[in-house]
Amino acid sequence: MPSVARMISLAEKGTNGTAELLADLFKAGGRCRVVGITGSAGTGKSTLVAALARVLRARGSTVGILAIDPTSPISGGSILGDRIRMSDLTGDPGVFIRSMATRGSLGGLSRAAADAVTALDAAGIDVVLIETVGVGQDEVDVMAACHTTVVVCVPGLGDGVQALKAGLLEIADVYCVNKADLPGADGVVRDLRQLLSLGTLPSQPPDEHGWKVPVVSTVALQGQGAEALAQAIDDHHAWLVASGAIHGRERAMAVARIRNLALRLLLEDLEDPSDGAGFDALVEDVVHRRIDPLTAARGLVARVRGGATERS
Amino acid sequence: MPSVARMISLAEKGTNGTAELLADLFKAGGRCRVVGITGSAGTGKSTLVAALARVLRARGSTVGILAIDPTSPISGGSILGDRIRMSDLTGDPGVFIRSMATRGSLGGLSRAAADAVTALDAAGIDVVLIETVGVGQDEVDVMAACHTTVVVCVPGLGDGVQALKAGLLEIADVYCVNKADLPGADGVVRDLRQLLSLGTLPSQPPDEHGWKVPVVSTVALQGQGAEALAQAIDDHHAWLVASGAIHGRERAMAVARIRNLALRLLLEDLEDPSDGAGFDALVEDVVHRRIDPLTAARGLVARVRGGATERS
């Protein structure tokens, strides 16, 4: 069997034969916990993830870290900054660190992240920490594939309206105010607690109404608060299990993943190069406004269905 | 015919009959220019868009503003902050302002934005300014539907590594350093020019290699530099037309839009409620790791194709 790193690379490239290997790994897995850490740029997420990883390692857990950089959708490159900040962890055989770039296609990022989790899970990793930058739909999709989502903010950037605007309050299972030694940190904690106490947030599934989102203060650079954050994450997981809400969450994770993969398969049909000429003609018709995009799309879909029928 | 505002609302909801109306509007359109303005939170994009709109209005152009807030994927709500900052424009009949929230589904945001552009175009709007926050795939997709993309940064946040990390350099047709009265602004402009002069960026399509991305300084709150920014946007458009690169760009816009719509149609098949029981069984199999997600997705896709055959 290939190494975890090789496995993740294969999954990212979608090489032939990877699917079968991933299927085997998936069926053998299901043990690892997936924790998402998200927030704006400059909130110190990478440092926080490193601090959290150290706490988990001290407890004897193995840790996977997926740092997702929203870099070039085309080059697929990723910057090593986050890895450098974790240099003390890179020599530890109980820690696996991987940077992933956005894939540049609909749902590609969450697909790659989910496959990486499958590989890490099968390799016996206990906890996977997925770090995402920003708050786009990509990130929301990635976070939907986590058991617990930690939203990070800092004093100065993180006033209530900003948090609301970013849509982050609604996806948080745990809130973390990092750089809590900066002025204004107490105010941010107080504001967040107040916002969170206003009542059940609209996006929580009904079976998760019983969870009260905690607000944890950290100074990640000094490791301060990392224990408390790890505890809050544990508490959330224990609550998921005790309340039975974990079943709904794992079901939602499966639904999102199946739907995403099904879309990719259908997208491959759409992009079937054997039908290049027909597609080009549709595009030209739209460019010259002879037909509208939806009519073109309907034509394309009808062709996919027809083609599928011929093949089957 | 419904008003522009009503038309956009209908398009967002996807009400029956909207498709036909949008098709008519699309075929009648093709005149308006679409300019994307993107950058991190806190860069003053809304103020910049308002300043730009004032310049365009002074020239006699009609202006549409689409402010896209990455708020809740579930509630679909959006915050009025951006509109408030534009209050002096709201009374002007030559300006149409609309906030849009993310749609919470694959490609939903760029679909809604493209439909809104179609409605504004048909209503005779000369220039549509689309403002997006952040740098996720959503934003990249929205920017791919623009003739010209302006990337905004500010001193302090916007060092070179951050810009690279955000993947923004590669999608910029024009770079804007806003809040240029802050310390460090000159350094940011210099750094950007240097980064941009390092050579052709990898993501530019080959037929757009001839365009030299300009860096414009602005103090949007005082309207300073807004004229120069409008000029840079004009220059880019004139270059697109003169070089013929506009054909490639409009073709790429059409391809993205058709593919996005085709995927939505296929997604509707996937979510066909008449097959709820079969889908649930697949999900349960995945949750209990009897099958892997890709096998489940293949089953689902096969069913879509089969169902389509029966229907046709």
Side-chain angles (χ1 to χ4, degrees):
Chain A
M1 182 182 301
S3 70
V4 182
R6 177 118 184 81
M7 193 61 237
I8 295 177
S9 295
L10 287 173
E12 281 184 314
K13 283 182 202 137
T15 319
N16 274 340
T18 320
E20 286 63 35
L21 194 47
L22 271 175
D24 289 344
L25 295 180
F26 180 85
K27 282 185 273 187
R31 228 178 40 80
C32 96
R33 279 166 52 188
V34 187
V35 178
I37 289 110
T38 194
S40 308
T43 51
K45 286 181 302 297
S46 298
T47 316
L48 192 67
V49 165
L52 210 47
R54 286 179 201 114
V55 170
L56 293 166
R57 286 301 292 142
R59 291 180 182 178
S61 299
T62 50
V63 180
I65 298 175
L66 300 177
I68 298 179
D69 290 342
T71 38
S72 162
I74 292 109
S75 70
S78 61
I79 309 247
L80 293 178
D82 295 335
R83 289 210 232 183
I84 292 162
R85 253 163 279 167
M86 295 173 185
S87 55
D88 66 304
L89 292 168
T90 51
D92 180 342
V95 177
F96 181 91
I97 304 179
R98 176 85 178 200
S99 290
M100 308 185 90
T102 60
R103 293 292 100 198
S105 63
L106 293 163
L109 186 60
S110 40
R111 207 152 50 227
D115 287 345
V117 168
T118 294
L120 291 166
D121 184 9
I125 293 286
D126 297 314
V127 183
V128 177
L129 305 173
I130 307 185
E131 178 202 343
T132 67
V133 181
V135 292
Q137 190 59 42
D138 276 346
E139 281 70 31
V140 171
D141 288 344
V142 169
M143 291 302 123
C146 295
H147 293 103
T148 300
T149 296
V150 178
V151 171
V152 187
C153 66
V154 290
L157 288 175
D159 61 300
V161 170
Q162 285 290 40
L164 269 179
K165 197 171 170 181
L168 285 175
L169 274 179
E170 304 186 4
I171 65 166
D173 299 310
V174 173
Y175 230 107
C176 173
V177 177
N178 192 27
K179 307 190 184 179
D181 50 348
L182 289 181
D186 291 347
V188 174
V189 171
R190 198 174 47 238
D191 287 354
L192 278 172
R193 289 202 173 122
Q194 199 176 352
L195 275 167
L196 292 164
S197 72
L198 289 177
T200 303
L201 290 162
S203 73
Q204 281 184 309
D207 59 350
E208 296 192 10
H209 282 177
W211 174 248
K212 199 174 163 304
V213 176
V215 181
V216 180
S217 297
T218 56
V219 185
L221 258 181
Q222 289 148 40
Q224 206 176 300
E227 281 279 0
L229 182 59
Q231 187 60 50
I233 294 167
D234 280 351
D235 289 347
H236 179 251
H237 199 265
W239 177 84
L240 281 180
V241 173
S243 67
I246 196 158
H247 301 301
R249 197 162 276 222
E250 293 201 323
R251 196 175 182 287
M253 286 157 77
V255 167
R257 199 163 170 193
I258 296 169
R259 185 177 297 157
N260 184 315
L261 286 162
L263 272 178
R264 190 190 60 184
L265 293 173
L266 292 167
L267 188 63
E268 282 167 8
D269 284 348
L270 289 185
E271 288 171 350
D272 184 354
S274 70
D275 190 34
F279 183 64
D280 284 349
L282 280 175
V283 172
E284 284 307 308
D285 281 344
V286 171
V287 167
H288 295 99
R289 299 197 177 240
R290 291 188 288 263
I291 62 170
D292 65 292
L294 183 57
T295 302
R298 282 179 178 149
L300 199 59
V301 168
R303 208 168 296 173
V304 166
R305 289 171 180 154
T309 311
E310 279 160 36
R311 260 174 296 195
S312 63
Chain B
M1 184 182 297
S3 71
V4 182
R6 177 116 184 82
M7 194 59 238
I8 296 177
S9 295
L10 286 173
E12 281 184 313
K13 283 181 200 137
T15 318
N16 273 340
T18 320
E20 286 63 35
L21 195 45
L22 272 174
D24 290 342
L25 296 180
F26 180 84
K27 282 183 274 188
R31 227 178 42 80
C32 96
R33 281 166 51 190
V34 187
V35 178
I37 288 111
T38 194
S40 309
T43 50
K45 285 181 304 298
S46 298
T47 316
L48 193 67
V49 165
L52 210 46
R54 284 178 203 113
V55 171
L56 293 166
R57 286 301 291 142
R59 291 179 180 178
S61 300
T62 50
V63 180
I65 298 175
L66 299 177
I68 297 179
D69 291 340
T71 38
S72 163
I74 291 109
S75 70
S78 61
I79 307 247
L80 293 178
D82 295 334
R83 288 210 232 182
I84 292 162
R85 253 164 278 167
M86 296 173 183
S87 53
D88 66 303
L89 294 168
T90 50
D92 180 343
V95 176
F96 181 89
I97 304 178
R98 176 84 178 200
S99 292
M100 307 185 90
T102 60
R103 295 291 99 198
S105 64
L106 293 163
L109 187 60
S110 38
R111 207 152 50 226
D115 286 346
V117 168
T118 295
L120 291 167
D121 185 8
I125 292 286
D126 298 312
V127 183
V128 177
L129 306 172
I130 307 186
E131 178 203 341
T132 67
V133 181
V135 291
Q137 189 59 42
D138 277 345
E139 279 71 29
V140 172
D141 289 344
V142 169
M143 292 303 123
C146 295
H147 294 103
T148 301
T149 297
V150 179
V151 171
V152 188
C153 68
V154 289
L157 289 174
D159 60 300
V161 171
Q162 284 290 43
L164 270 179
K165 199 172 169 179
L168 285 177
L169 274 180
E170 305 186 2
I171 64 166
D173 299 310
V174 174
Y175 230 107
C176 173
V177 178
N178 193 28
K179 305 189 185 179
D181 51 346
L182 289 181
D186 291 346
V188 174
V189 171
R190 199 173 47 239
D191 287 355
L192 277 173
R193 289 204 172 122
Q194 200 176 350
L195 274 168
L196 291 165
S197 72
L198 288 177
T200 304
L201 289 162
S203 73
Q204 281 185 310
D207 60 350
E208 296 192 10
H209 282 176
W211 174 247
K212 198 172 166 302
V213 176
V215 180
V216 180
S217 297
T218 55
V219 185
L221 257 180
Q222 290 148 39
Q224 206 175 299
E227 281 280 0
L229 183 58
Q231 188 58 52
I233 294 167
D234 279 350
D235 290 347
H236 179 251
H237 199 264
W239 176 84
L240 280 180
V241 173
S243 68
I246 195 160
H247 302 302
R249 198 163 273 223
E250 293 202 324
R251 196 176 182 286
M253 287 158 76
V255 167
R257 198 162 171 194
I258 296 169
R259 185 178 296 158
N260 183 316
L261 286 162
L263 273 179
R264 189 190 61 182
L265 293 174
L266 292 168
L267 189 62
E268 282 167 9
D269 283 348
L270 289 184
E271 289 171 350
D272 185 353
S274 69
D275 190 35
F279 182 63
D280 284 350
L282 281 173
V283 171
E284 283 307 309
D285 281 345
V286 171
V287 168
H288 295 99
R289 300 201 177 238
R290 292 188 288 263
I291 62 171
D292 66 292
L294 183 57
T295 302
R298 283 178 177 150
L300 200 57
V301 168
R303 209 167 298 172
V304 166
R305 288 172 180 155
T309 311
E310 280 161 34
R311 260 175 297 194
S312 62

